[in-house]
Coordinates of all heavy atoms in Angstrom, one line a residue:
M1 N -1.5 14.6 -7.6 CA -2.3 13.5 -6.7 C -1.4 13.1 -5.7 O -1.1 13.7 -4.7 CB -2.9 12.5 -7.6 CG -3.6 11.5 -6.7 SD -5.3 11.0 -7.2 CE -5.3 9.5 -6.3
S2 N -0.8 11.9 -5.8 CA -0.1 11.3 -4.9 C 1.4 11.2 -5.3 O 1.7 11.0 -6.5 CB -0.6 9.9 -4.6 OG 0.3 9.1 -3.7
S3 N 2.3 11.3 -4.3 CA 3.8 11.2 -4.7 C 4.2 9.7 -4.7 O 5.3 9.3 -5.1 CB 4.6 11.9 -3.6 OG 4.4 11.4 -2.3
A4 N 3.2 8.8 -4.3 CA 3.6 7.3 -4.2 C 3.7 6.8 -5.7 O 2.9 7.3 -6.6 CB 2.6 6.6 -3.4
K5 N 4.6 5.9 -5.8 CA 4.8 5.3 -7.2 C 3.7 4.3 -7.4 O 3.3 3.6 -6.6 CB 6.2 4.5 -7.1 CG 6.5 3.7 -8.3 CD 8.0 3.3 -8.2 CE 8.0 1.8 -8.5 NZ 9.5 1.2 -8.4
A6 N 3.3 4.3 -8.6 CA 2.2 3.3 -9.1 C 2.8 2.0 -9.5 O 3.8 2.0 -10.2 CB 1.4 4.0 -10.2
V7 N 2.3 0.9 -9.0 CA 2.7 -0.4 -9.5 C 1.6 -1.0 -10.2 O 0.4 -0.7 -10.0 CB 3.3 -1.3 -8.2 CG1 4.5 -0.7 -7.6 CG2 2.2 -1.5 -7.3
T8 N 1.9 -1.9 -11.1 CA 0.9 -2.7 -11.9 C 1.0 -4.1 -11.8 O 2.0 -4.7 -11.2 CB 1.1 -2.3 -13.4 OG1 2.5 -2.7 -13.8 CG2 1.1 -0.8 -13.6
D9 N 0.1 -4.9 -12.4 CA 0.2 -6.4 -12.4 C 1.5 -6.7 -12.9 O 2.2 -7.6 -12.5 CB -0.8 -6.9 -13.3 CG -2.3 -6.9 -12.7 OD1 -2.4 -6.7 -11.4 OD2 -3.3 -7.1 -13.4
A10 N 2.0 -5.9 -14.0 CA 3.3 -6.4 -14.7 C 4.5 -6.0 -13.8 O 5.4 -6.9 -13.8 CB 3.4 -5.6 -16.0
S11 N 4.4 -5.0 -13.1 CA 5.6 -4.6 -12.3 C 5.6 -5.1 -10.8 O 6.6 -4.8 -10.1 CB 5.8 -3.1 -12.3 OG 4.7 -2.5 -11.5
F12 N 4.5 -5.6 -10.4 CA 4.3 -5.9 -8.9 C 5.5 -6.9 -8.3 O 6.0 -6.5 -7.3 CB 2.9 -6.7 -8.8 CG 2.6 -6.7 -7.3 CD1 2.0 -5.7 -6.7 CD2 2.7 -7.9 -6.5 CE1 1.6 -5.7 -5.3 CE2 2.4 -7.9 -5.2 CZ 1.8 -6.8 -4.6
E13 N 5.8 -7.9 -9.2 CA 6.8 -8.8 -8.6 C 8.1 -8.1 -8.4 O 8.8 -8.2 -7.5 CB 7.0 -10.0 -9.7 CG 7.9 -11.0 -9.0 CD 8.0 -12.3 -10.0 OE1 7.3 -12.4 -10.9 OE2 8.9 -13.2 -9.6
S14 N 8.6 -7.4 -9.5 CA 9.9 -6.7 -9.4 C 9.8 -5.5 -8.4 O 10.8 -5.3 -7.6 CB 10.4 -6.2 -10.7 OG 9.5 -5.3 -11.3
D15 N 8.7 -4.8 -8.3 CA 8.7 -3.6 -7.5 C 8.4 -4.0 -6.0 O 8.9 -3.2 -5.1 CB 7.5 -2.6 -8.0 CG 7.9 -1.8 -9.3 OD1 9.1 -1.8 -9.5 OD2 7.0 -1.3 -9.9
V16 N 7.6 -5.0 -5.8 CA 7.2 -5.3 -4.4 C 7.8 -6.5 -4.0 O 8.5 -6.6 -2.9 CB 5.6 -5.3 -4.3 CG1 5.2 -5.7 -3.0 CG2 5.0 -4.0 -4.8
L17 N 7.6 -7.6 -4.6 CA 7.9 -9.0 -4.0 C 9.5 -9.2 -4.1 O 10.0 -9.9 -3.1 CB 7.3 -10.0 -4.9 CG 5.7 -10.0 -4.9 CD1 5.2 -11.2 -5.8 CD2 5.1 -10.1 -3.6
K18 N 10.2 -8.6 -5.0 CA 11.6 -8.9 -5.0 C 12.3 -7.6 -4.4 O 13.6 -7.7 -4.4 CB 12.1 -9.0 -6.5 CG 11.6 -10.4 -7.0 CD 12.2 -10.8 -8.3 CE 11.8 -12.2 -8.6 NZ 12.0 -12.5 -10.0
S19 N 11.7 -6.7 -3.8 CA 12.4 -5.6 -3.1 C 13.0 -6.1 -1.9 O 12.5 -6.9 -1.1 CB 11.3 -4.5 -2.9 OG 11.9 -3.4 -2.3
D20 N 14.1 -5.4 -1.5 CA 14.8 -5.7 -0.4 C 14.4 -4.7 0.8 O 14.8 -4.7 1.9 CB 16.3 -5.6 -0.4 CG 16.9 -4.4 -1.1 OD1 16.1 -3.5 -1.3 OD2 18.1 -4.4 -1.3
K21 N 13.5 -3.8 0.4 CA 12.8 -2.8 1.3 C 11.5 -3.3 1.9 O 11.0 -4.2 1.4 CB 12.6 -1.4 0.6 CG 13.7 -0.7 0.2 CD 13.3 0.6 -0.4 CE 14.4 1.3 -1.0 NZ 13.9 2.3 -2.0
T22 N 11.1 -2.7 3.0 CA 9.7 -2.9 3.5 C 8.8 -2.1 2.6 O 9.0 -0.8 2.5 CB 9.6 -2.6 5.0 OG1 10.6 -3.4 5.6 CG2 8.2 -2.8 5.5
I23 N 7.7 -2.6 2.0 CA 6.9 -2.0 1.0 C 5.4 -2.0 1.5 O 5.0 -3.1 1.9 CB 7.0 -2.6 -0.4 CG1 8.4 -2.8 -0.9 CG2 6.1 -1.8 -1.4 CD1 9.0 -1.8 -1.8
L24 N 4.8 -0.9 1.6 CA 3.4 -0.9 1.8 C 2.6 -0.6 0.5 O 3.0 0.4 -0.2 CB 3.0 0.2 2.8 CG 1.6 0.4 3.1 CD1 1.3 0.8 4.6 CD2 0.8 1.3 2.3
V25 N 1.8 -1.5 0.1 CA 1.0 -1.3 -1.1 C -0.4 -0.9 -0.7 O -1.1 -1.4 0.0 CB 0.9 -2.7 -1.9 CG1 0.1 -2.5 -3.2 CG2 2.3 -3.2 -2.2
D26 N -0.8 0.3 -1.3 CA -2.1 0.8 -1.1 C -2.9 0.4 -2.3 O -2.6 0.8 -3.5 CB -1.9 2.4 -1.1 CG -3.3 3.1 -1.1 OD1 -4.3 2.5 -0.6 OD2 -3.3 4.3 -1.4
F27 N -3.8 -0.5 -2.0 CA -4.7 -0.9 -3.1 C -5.9 0.0 -3.1 O -6.6 0.1 -2.1 CB -5.3 -2.4 -2.7 CG -4.2 -3.5 -2.8 CD1 -3.4 -3.8 -1.7 CD2 -4.0 -4.1 -4.0 CE1 -2.4 -4.8 -1.8 CE2 -3.1 -5.1 -4.1 CZ -2.2 -5.5 -3.1
W28 N -6.2 0.6 -4.2 CA -7.1 1.7 -4.3 C -7.9 1.8 -5.6 O -7.5 1.0 -6.5 CB -6.5 3.1 -4.1 CG -5.6 3.5 -5.2 CD1 -4.5 2.9 -5.7 CD2 -5.9 4.5 -6.1 NE1 -4.0 3.6 -6.7 CE2 -4.9 4.6 -7.1 CE3 -7.0 5.4 -6.3 CZ2 -4.9 5.3 -8.2 CZ3 -6.9 6.3 -7.4 CH2 -5.9 6.3 -8.3
A29 N -8.9 2.7 -5.8 CA -9.5 2.9 -7.1 C -9.9 4.3 -7.1 O -10.1 5.1 -6.1 CB -10.7 2.0 -7.3
E30 N -10.0 4.9 -8.4 CA -10.3 6.2 -8.6 C -11.7 6.7 -8.0 O -11.8 7.8 -7.5 CB -10.4 6.5 -10.2 CG -10.2 7.9 -10.6 CD -8.8 8.4 -10.3 OE1 -7.9 7.9 -10.6 OE2 -8.9 9.5 -9.6
W31 N -12.7 5.8 -8.0 CA -14.0 6.1 -7.6 C -14.2 6.0 -6.1 O -15.2 6.3 -5.4 CB -15.0 5.2 -8.2 CG -14.6 3.7 -8.2 CD1 -13.9 3.1 -9.1 CD2 -14.8 2.8 -7.0 NE1 -13.7 1.8 -8.7 CE2 -14.2 1.6 -7.4 CE3 -15.3 2.9 -5.8 CZ2 -14.2 0.5 -6.6 CZ3 -15.4 1.8 -5.0 CH2 -14.8 0.6 -5.3
C32 N -13.1 5.6 -5.3 CA -13.2 5.2 -3.9 C -12.8 6.5 -3.1 O -11.8 6.9 -3.0 CB -12.2 4.1 -3.6 SG -11.9 3.9 -1.8
G33 N -13.9 7.1 -2.4 CA -13.8 8.4 -1.6 C -12.7 8.2 -0.4 O -11.8 8.9 -0.2
P34 N -12.9 7.0 0.4 CA -11.9 6.8 1.5 C -10.5 6.6 1.0 O -9.6 6.9 1.6 CB -12.4 5.5 2.1 CG -13.9 5.5 1.8 CD -14.0 6.1 0.4
C35 N -10.4 6.0 -0.3 CA -9.0 5.9 -0.8 C -8.4 7.3 -1.0 O -7.2 7.4 -0.7 CB -9.1 5.1 -2.2 SG -9.7 3.5 -2.0
R36 N -9.1 8.2 -1.5 CA -8.6 9.5 -1.8 C -8.4 10.3 -0.5 O -7.4 11.0 -0.3 CB -9.6 10.3 -2.6 CG -9.7 9.9 -4.0 CD -10.4 10.9 -5.0 NE -11.8 11.2 -4.7 CZ -12.8 10.6 -4.9 NH1 -12.6 9.5 -5.8 NH2 -14.0 11.0 -4.6
A37 N -9.2 9.9 0.6 CA -8.9 10.5 1.9 C -7.5 10.1 2.5 O -6.9 10.9 3.2 CB -10.1 10.2 2.8
V38 N -7.4 8.8 2.3 CA -6.1 8.2 3.0 C -4.8 8.4 2.3 O -3.7 8.5 2.8 CB -6.3 6.6 3.3 CG1 -6.0 5.8 2.0 CG2 -5.5 6.2 4.4
S39 N -5.0 8.8 0.9 CA -3.8 9.1 0.1 C -2.7 10.1 0.7 O -1.6 9.8 0.7 CB -4.1 9.3 -1.3 OG -3.1 9.4 -2.2
P40 N -3.3 11.3 1.0 CA -2.3 12.3 1.5 C -1.7 11.9 2.8 O -0.5 12.3 3.1 CB -3.2 13.5 1.7 CG -4.5 13.2 1.5 CD -4.6 11.9 0.8
I41 N -2.4 11.2 3.5 CA -1.8 10.6 4.9 C -0.7 9.7 4.6 O 0.3 9.8 5.2 CB -2.9 9.9 5.8 CG1 -4.0 11.0 6.1 CG2 -2.4 9.3 7.0 CD1 -5.3 10.3 6.7
L42 N -0.9 8.8 3.6 CA 0.1 7.8 3.3 C 1.4 8.5 2.7 O 2.5 8.1 2.9 CB -0.3 6.8 2.3 CG -1.3 5.8 2.8 CD1 -1.8 4.9 1.7 CD2 -0.6 4.9 4.0
D43 N 1.1 9.7 1.9 CA 2.2 10.5 1.4 C 3.0 11.0 2.5 O 4.3 11.0 2.5 CB 1.7 11.6 0.4 CG 1.3 11.1 -0.8 OD1 1.5 9.9 -1.1 OD2 0.5 11.8 -1.6
Q44 N 2.3 11.6 3.6 CA 3.1 12.1 4.8 C 3.9 11.1 5.4 O 5.1 11.2 5.7 CB 2.1 12.7 5.7 CG 1.4 14.0 5.3 CD 0.3 14.4 6.3 OE1 0.1 13.7 7.4 NE2 -0.4 15.5 6.1
I45 N 3.3 9.9 5.6 CA 4.0 8.8 6.3 C 5.3 8.5 5.5 O 6.4 8.2 6.0 CB 3.1 7.6 6.5 CG1 2.1 8.0 7.6 CG2 4.0 6.4 7.0 CD1 1.0 7.0 7.9
A46 N 5.1 8.3 4.2 CA 6.2 7.9 3.3 C 7.3 9.0 3.3 O 8.5 8.6 3.4 CB 5.7 7.9 1.8
A47 N 6.9 10.3 3.4 CA 8.0 11.4 3.4 C 8.7 11.3 4.8 O 9.9 11.5 4.8 CB 7.3 12.7 3.2
E48 N 7.9 11.2 5.8 CA 8.6 11.1 7.2 C 9.4 9.9 7.5 O 10.3 9.9 8.4 CB 7.5 11.3 8.2 CG 6.8 12.7 8.2 CD 5.5 12.7 8.9 OE1 5.2 11.8 9.7 OE2 4.8 13.6 8.7
H49 N 9.1 8.7 6.7 CA 9.7 7.6 7.2 C 10.3 6.8 5.9 O 10.4 5.6 5.8 CB 8.8 6.5 7.7 CG 8.1 7.1 9.1 ND1 8.8 7.1 10.2 CD2 6.9 7.7 9.3 CE1 8.0 7.6 11.2 NE2 6.9 8.0 10.6
A50 N 10.9 7.7 4.9 CA 11.4 7.2 3.6 C 12.5 6.2 3.8 O 12.7 5.2 3.0 CB 11.8 8.3 2.8
D51 N 13.3 6.3 4.9 CA 14.4 5.3 5.1 C 13.9 3.9 5.7 O 14.5 3.0 5.6 CB 15.3 5.9 6.2 CG 14.7 6.3 7.5 OD1 13.4 6.7 7.4 OD2 15.3 6.3 8.6
K52 N 12.6 3.9 6.1 CA 12.2 2.7 6.8 C 11.1 1.9 5.8 O 11.0 0.7 5.9 CB 11.5 2.9 8.1 CG 12.6 3.4 9.1 CD 12.0 3.7 10.4 CE 12.9 4.5 11.3 NZ 12.9 5.8 11.2
I53 N 10.3 2.7 5.1 CA 9.2 2.0 4.4 C 8.9 2.7 3.0 O 9.1 4.0 3.0 CB 7.9 2.0 5.3 CG1 6.9 1.0 4.6 CG2 7.4 3.3 5.4 CD1 5.7 0.7 5.6
E54 N 8.7 2.0 2.0 CA 8.3 2.6 0.8 C 6.9 2.3 0.5 O 6.4 1.3 0.8 CB 9.2 2.0 -0.4 CG 8.9 2.6 -1.7 CD 9.7 2.0 -2.9 OE1 10.7 1.4 -2.6 OE2 9.2 2.2 -3.9
I55 N 6.2 3.3 0.1 CA 4.7 3.3 -0.2 C 4.5 3.4 -1.7 O 5.0 4.4 -2.3 CB 3.9 4.3 0.7 CG1 4.2 4.1 2.1 CG2 2.4 4.3 0.2 CD1 3.5 5.0 3.1
V56 N 3.8 2.4 -2.1 CA 3.4 2.3 -3.6 C 1.9 2.0 -3.6 O 1.3 1.7 -2.7 CB 4.2 1.2 -4.4 CG1 5.6 1.4 -4.2 CG2 3.9 -0.2 -3.8
K57 N 1.4 2.4 -4.9 CA 0.0 2.4 -5.0 C -0.5 1.4 -6.2 O 0.3 1.3 -7.2 CB -0.7 3.7 -5.4 CG -0.5 4.7 -4.4 CD -1.0 6.1 -4.8 CE -2.4 6.3 -4.5 NZ -2.9 6.1 -3.1
L58 N -1.4 0.6 -6.0 CA -1.9 -0.3 -7.1 C -3.5 0.0 -7.3 O -4.2 -0.2 -6.4 CB -1.7 -1.7 -6.7 CG -2.1 -2.7 -7.8 CD1 -1.0 -3.6 -8.3 CD2 -3.3 -3.6 -7.5
N59 N -3.7 0.4 -8.5 CA -5.1 0.7 -8.9 C -5.8 -0.8 -9.1 O -5.5 -1.3 -10.1 CB -5.2 1.6 -10.0 CG -6.6 2.0 -10.4 OD1 -7.6 1.2 -10.4 ND2 -6.8 3.2 -10.7
V60 N -6.8 -1.0 -8.3 CA -7.5 -2.4 -8.4 C -8.3 -2.5 -9.7 O -8.4 -3.6 -10.2 CB -8.3 -2.7 -7.2 CG1 -7.5 -2.9 -5.9 CG2 -9.4 -1.8 -6.9
D61 N -8.8 -1.3 -10.2 CA -9.4 -1.5 -11.4 C -8.6 -1.7 -12.7 O -9.0 -2.5 -13.7 CB -10.3 -0.2 -11.6 CG -11.4 0.1 -10.8 OD1 -12.0 -1.0 -10.2 OD2 -11.9 1.2 -10.5
D62 N -7.5 -1.1 -12.7 CA -6.5 -1.3 -13.7 C -5.7 -2.6 -13.6 O -5.1 -3.0 -14.6 CB -5.6 -0.1 -13.8 CG -6.3 1.3 -14.0 OD1 -7.4 1.2 -14.6 OD2 -5.8 2.3 -13.9
N63 N -5.6 -3.1 -12.4 CA -4.8 -4.3 -12.2 C -5.5 -5.4 -11.4 O -5.1 -5.7 -10.3 CB -3.5 -3.8 -11.5 CG -2.7 -2.8 -12.1 OD1 -2.1 -3.1 -13.1 ND2 -2.9 -1.5 -11.7
P64 N -6.5 -6.0 -12.0 CA -7.3 -7.0 -11.3 C -6.6 -8.2 -11.0 O -7.0 -8.8 -10.0 CB -8.5 -7.1 -12.3 CG -7.9 -6.8 -13.6 CD -7.0 -5.7 -13.5
Q65 N -5.6 -8.5 -11.7 CA -4.9 -9.8 -11.4 C -4.3 -9.8 -10.0 O -4.4 -10.7 -9.2 CB -3.9 -10.0 -12.5 CG -3.1 -11.3 -12.4 CD -2.1 -11.5 -13.5 OE1 -2.1 -10.7 -14.5 NE2 -1.1 -12.4 -13.3
T66 N -3.5 -8.7 -9.8 CA -2.8 -8.8 -8.4 C -3.9 -8.5 -7.3 O -3.8 -9.2 -6.2 CB -1.9 -7.6 -8.4 OG1 -0.9 -7.7 -9.5 CG2 -1.1 -7.5 -7.1
A67 N -4.9 -7.7 -7.5 CA -6.0 -7.5 -6.5 C -6.6 -8.8 -6.2 O -6.9 -9.1 -5.1 CB -7.0 -6.5 -7.0
M68 N -6.9 -9.7 -7.3 CA -7.6 -11.0 -7.0 C -6.6 -11.9 -6.2 O -6.9 -12.6 -5.4 CB -7.9 -11.5 -8.4 CG -9.1 -12.5 -8.2 SD -9.9 -13.0 -9.8 CE -8.6 -12.6 -11.1
Q69 N -5.3 -11.9 -6.7 CA -4.3 -12.7 -6.1 C -4.2 -12.5 -4.6 O -4.1 -13.5 -3.8 CB -2.9 -12.6 -6.7 CG -1.8 -13.4 -6.1 CD -0.5 -13.1 -6.9 OE1 -0.4 -12.4 -7.9 NE2 0.5 -13.7 -6.3
Y70 N -4.3 -11.3 -4.1 CA -4.2 -11.0 -2.7 C -5.6 -10.8 -2.1 O -5.7 -10.3 -0.9 CB -3.3 -9.7 -2.5 CG -1.9 -10.1 -2.7 CD1 -1.2 -9.9 -4.0 CD2 -1.2 -10.8 -1.8 CE1 0.0 -10.3 -4.2 CE2 0.1 -11.2 -2.1 CZ 0.7 -11.0 -3.3 OH 2.0 -11.4 -3.6
Q71 N -6.6 -11.2 -2.7 CA -7.9 -11.3 -2.2 C -8.5 -10.0 -1.7 O -9.0 -9.9 -0.6 CB -8.1 -12.4 -1.1 CG -7.9 -13.7 -1.7 CD -7.4 -14.8 -0.7 OE1 -7.2 -14.4 0.4 NE2 -7.4 -16.0 -1.1
I72 N -8.2 -8.8 -2.5 CA -8.7 -7.5 -2.1 C -10.1 -7.4 -2.4 O -10.6 -7.4 -3.6 CB -7.9 -6.5 -2.9 CG1 -6.4 -6.7 -2.7 CG2 -8.3 -5.1 -2.5 CD1 -5.9 -6.6 -1.2
T73 N -11.0 -7.4 -1.3 CA -12.4 -7.3 -1.5 C -13.0 -6.0 -1.0 O -14.1 -5.7 -1.4 CB -13.1 -8.5 -0.7 OG1 -12.7 -8.4 0.7 CG2 -12.8 -9.8 -1.3
S74 N -12.2 -5.2 -0.2 CA -12.7 -4.0 0.2 C -11.4 -3.0 0.2 O -10.4 -3.5 0.4 CB -13.4 -3.9 1.4 OG -12.5 -4.4 2.4
I75 N -11.7 -1.7 -0.3 CA -10.6 -0.8 -0.3 C -11.0 0.5 0.4 O -12.2 0.7 0.6 CB -10.2 -0.4 -1.8 CG1 -11.5 0.0 -2.7 CG2 -9.6 -1.6 -2.5 CD1 -11.2 0.4 -4.0
P76 N -10.1 1.3 0.9 CA -8.6 1.0 0.7 C -8.1 -0.1 1.6 O -8.7 -0.4 2.7 CB -8.1 2.3 1.2 CG -9.0 2.9 2.1 CD -10.4 2.4 1.7
A77 N -7.3 -0.9 1.0 CA -6.6 -2.0 1.6 C -5.1 -1.7 1.6 O -4.5 -1.4 0.5 CB -6.9 -3.3 1.1
M78 N -4.4 -1.8 2.7 CA -3.0 -1.6 2.6 C -2.3 -2.8 3.2 O -2.7 -3.3 4.3 CB -2.6 -0.3 3.5 CG -3.1 1.0 3.0 SD -3.5 2.2 4.1 CE -5.2 1.8 4.4
K79 N -1.4 -3.3 2.3 CA -0.7 -4.5 2.8 C 0.8 -4.2 2.9 O 1.4 -3.6 1.9 CB -0.9 -5.6 1.8 CG -2.3 -6.2 1.9 CD -2.5 -7.4 1.2 CE -3.9 -8.0 1.3 NZ -4.1 -8.7 2.5
V80 N 1.5 -4.6 4.0 CA 2.9 -4.4 4.1 C 3.6 -5.7 3.7 O 3.3 -6.8 4.2 CB 3.3 -4.0 5.5 CG1 4.9 -3.9 5.7 CG2 2.6 -2.7 6.0
Y81 N 4.6 -5.7 2.8 CA 5.4 -6.7 2.3 C 6.9 -6.7 2.8 O 7.5 -5.6 2.7 CB 5.4 -6.8 0.7 CG 4.0 -7.0 0.1 CD1 3.0 -6.1 0.2 CD2 3.6 -8.3 -0.4 CE1 1.8 -6.2 -0.5 CE2 2.4 -8.5 -0.9 CZ 1.5 -7.5 -1.0 OH 0.3 -7.7 -1.6
R82 N 7.3 -7.8 3.1 CA 8.8 -7.9 3.4 C 9.2 -9.2 2.9 O 8.7 -10.3 3.3 CB 8.9 -7.9 5.1 CG 9.7 -6.8 5.6 CD 10.0 -6.9 7.0 NE 10.3 -5.7 7.5 CZ 10.1 -5.4 8.9 NH1 9.7 -6.3 9.7 NH2 10.3 -4.2 9.3
G83 N 10.3 -9.2 2.1 CA 10.8 -10.4 1.5 C 9.9 -11.1 0.7 O 9.8 -12.4 0.7
G84 N 8.9 -10.4 0.1 CA 7.9 -11.0 -0.9 C 6.7 -11.6 -0.1 O 5.8 -12.1 -0.7
E85 N 6.7 -11.4 1.2 CA 5.6 -12.0 2.0 C 4.6 -10.8 2.6 O 5.2 -9.8 3.0 CB 6.0 -12.8 3.1 CG 6.7 -14.1 2.7 CD 5.9 -15.1 2.0 OE1 4.7 -15.3 2.5 OE2 6.4 -15.7 1.0
V86 N 3.4 -11.0 2.7 CA 2.5 -10.0 3.3 C 2.8 -10.2 4.9 O 2.6 -11.3 5.4 CB 1.0 -10.2 3.1 CG1 0.2 -9.3 3.8 CG2 0.8 -10.1 1.6
V87 N 3.2 -9.1 5.6 CA 3.4 -9.2 7.0 C 2.4 -8.4 7.9 O 2.3 -8.6 9.1 CB 4.9 -8.8 7.4 CG1 5.9 -9.8 6.8 CG2 5.2 -7.4 6.8
K88 N 1.6 -7.6 7.1 CA 0.6 -6.8 7.8 C -0.4 -6.3 6.9 O -0.2 -6.0 5.7 CB 1.3 -5.5 8.4 CG 0.4 -4.7 9.2 CD 0.2 -5.1 10.7 CE -0.6 -4.1 11.4 NZ -0.7 -4.3 12.8
T89 N -1.8 -6.3 7.3 CA -2.9 -5.9 6.4 C -3.6 -4.8 7.3 O -3.9 -5.1 8.4 CB -3.7 -7.0 6.0 OG1 -3.0 -7.9 5.2 CG2 -4.8 -6.5 5.2
V90 N -3.9 -3.7 6.6 CA -4.7 -2.6 7.2 C -5.9 -2.4 6.3 O -5.6 -2.1 5.1 CB -3.9 -1.4 7.5 CG1 -4.9 -0.3 8.1 CG2 -2.7 -1.6 8.4
I91 N -7.1 -2.4 6.7 CA -8.2 -2.2 5.9 C -8.9 -1.0 6.3 O -9.2 -0.7 7.5 CB -9.2 -3.4 6.0 CG1 -8.6 -4.7 5.6 CG2 -10.5 -3.2 5.0 CD1 -8.3 -5.0 4.2
G92 N -9.3 -0.1 5.3 CA -10.1 1.1 5.6 C -9.3 2.3 5.8 O -8.1 2.2 6.2
A93 N -9.9 3.5 5.6 CA -9.3 4.8 5.8 C -9.3 5.1 7.3 O -10.2 4.8 7.9 CB -10.0 5.8 5.1
K94 N -8.1 5.6 7.7 CA -7.9 5.8 9.1 C -7.2 7.2 9.2 O -6.5 7.5 8.3 CB -7.1 4.8 9.9 CG -7.8 3.4 9.9 CD -6.9 2.4 10.6 CE -7.6 1.1 10.6 NZ -6.9 0.2 11.5
P95 N -7.4 7.9 10.4 CA -6.6 9.2 10.5 C -5.1 8.7 10.7 O -4.8 7.6 11.0 CB -7.1 9.8 11.8 CG -8.0 8.7 12.5 CD -8.3 7.7 11.4
K96 N -4.2 9.8 10.5 CA -2.8 9.5 10.6 C -2.3 8.8 11.9 O -1.6 7.8 11.8 CB -2.0 10.8 10.3 CG -0.6 10.6 10.1 CD 0.2 11.9 9.7 CE 1.7 11.6 9.8 NZ 2.5 12.8 10.0
P97 N -2.7 9.2 13.0 CA -2.2 8.6 14.3 C -2.6 7.1 14.3 O -1.8 6.3 14.7 CB -2.9 9.3 15.4 CG -3.3 10.7 14.8 CD -3.5 10.5 13.3
A98 N -3.8 6.8 13.9 CA -4.2 5.3 13.8 C -3.4 4.5 12.9 O -3.0 3.4 13.1 CB -5.7 5.2 13.5
L99 N -3.1 5.1 11.7 CA -2.3 4.5 10.7 C -0.9 4.2 11.2 O -0.3 3.2 11.1 CB -2.3 5.1 9.3 CG -3.4 4.8 8.4 CD1 -3.2 5.7 7.1 CD2 -3.2 3.3 7.9
E100 N -0.4 5.3 11.8 CA 1.0 5.2 12.4 C 1.1 4.2 13.5 O 2.1 3.4 13.6 CB 1.5 6.6 12.9 CG 1.8 7.5 11.8 CD 2.3 8.9 12.3 OE1 1.7 9.3 13.2 OE2 3.1 9.4 11.6
A101 N 0.0 4.0 14.3 CA 0.0 3.0 15.3 C 0.0 1.6 14.7 O 0.6 0.7 15.1 CB -1.2 3.2 16.2
D102 N -0.9 1.5 13.6 CA -0.9 0.2 12.9 C 0.4 -0.2 12.2 O 0.8 -1.4 12.3 CB -1.9 0.2 11.8 CG -3.4 0.2 12.3 OD1 -3.6 -0.4 13.4 OD2 -4.3 0.5 11.5
L103 N 1.2 0.8 11.9 CA 2.5 0.5 11.1 C 3.7 0.8 12.1 O 4.8 0.7 11.5 CB 2.5 1.5 9.9 CG 1.4 1.4 8.9 CD1 1.5 2.4 7.9 CD2 1.5 0.1 8.2
A104 N 3.4 0.9 13.3 CA 4.6 1.3 14.4 C 5.7 0.3 14.2 O 6.9 0.8 14.2 CB 4.0 1.4 15.7
E105 N 5.6 -0.9 14.0 CA 6.6 -1.9 14.0 C 7.5 -1.7 12.9 O 8.6 -2.1 12.8 CB 6.1 -3.4 14.1 CG 5.3 -3.7 12.9 CD 4.5 -5.0 13.1 OE1 5.1 -6.2 12.9 OE2 3.3 -5.0 13.3
F106 N 7.0 -1.1 11.8 CA 7.8 -0.9 10.5 C 8.4 0.6 10.5 O 9.3 0.8 9.7 CB 6.9 -1.1 9.3 CG 6.2 -2.3 9.3 CD1 4.7 -2.5 9.6 CD2 6.8 -3.6 9.1 CE1 4.1 -3.7 9.5 CE2 6.2 -4.7 9.2 CZ 4.8 -4.8 9.4
L107 N 7.8 1.4 11.3 CA 8.3 2.8 11.2 C 9.4 3.0 12.4 O 10.0 4.0 12.4 CB 7.1 3.8 11.5 CG 6.1 3.6 10.5 CD1 4.9 4.6 10.9 CD2 6.4 3.8 9.0
A108 N 9.6 2.1 13.4 CA 10.4 2.3 14.5 C 11.9 2.3 14.1 O 12.2 1.6 13.2 CB 10.1 1.3 15.5

């Protein structure tokens, strides 16, 4: 499926909030068609920009605590974290050029 690392309620703090890297968290669910559509695009961006941004996935059905904490009401939702803080939110599936434009400040 995806090459992105899966994070959970239990690992979120250590994998995302305490990371010294810029992390994009893809909040998704198995039943979500747009989530499945955006996943390979995120994999491409992760491969092309591995030195600048790390992309991880959090299944909102399996990890409701983190999804609730960050008020995830529609998916796919992508949040960029830096130093434990959300610095950018992107909602909805988009084609690769649009996602790269949204993330340009982190990919440059």
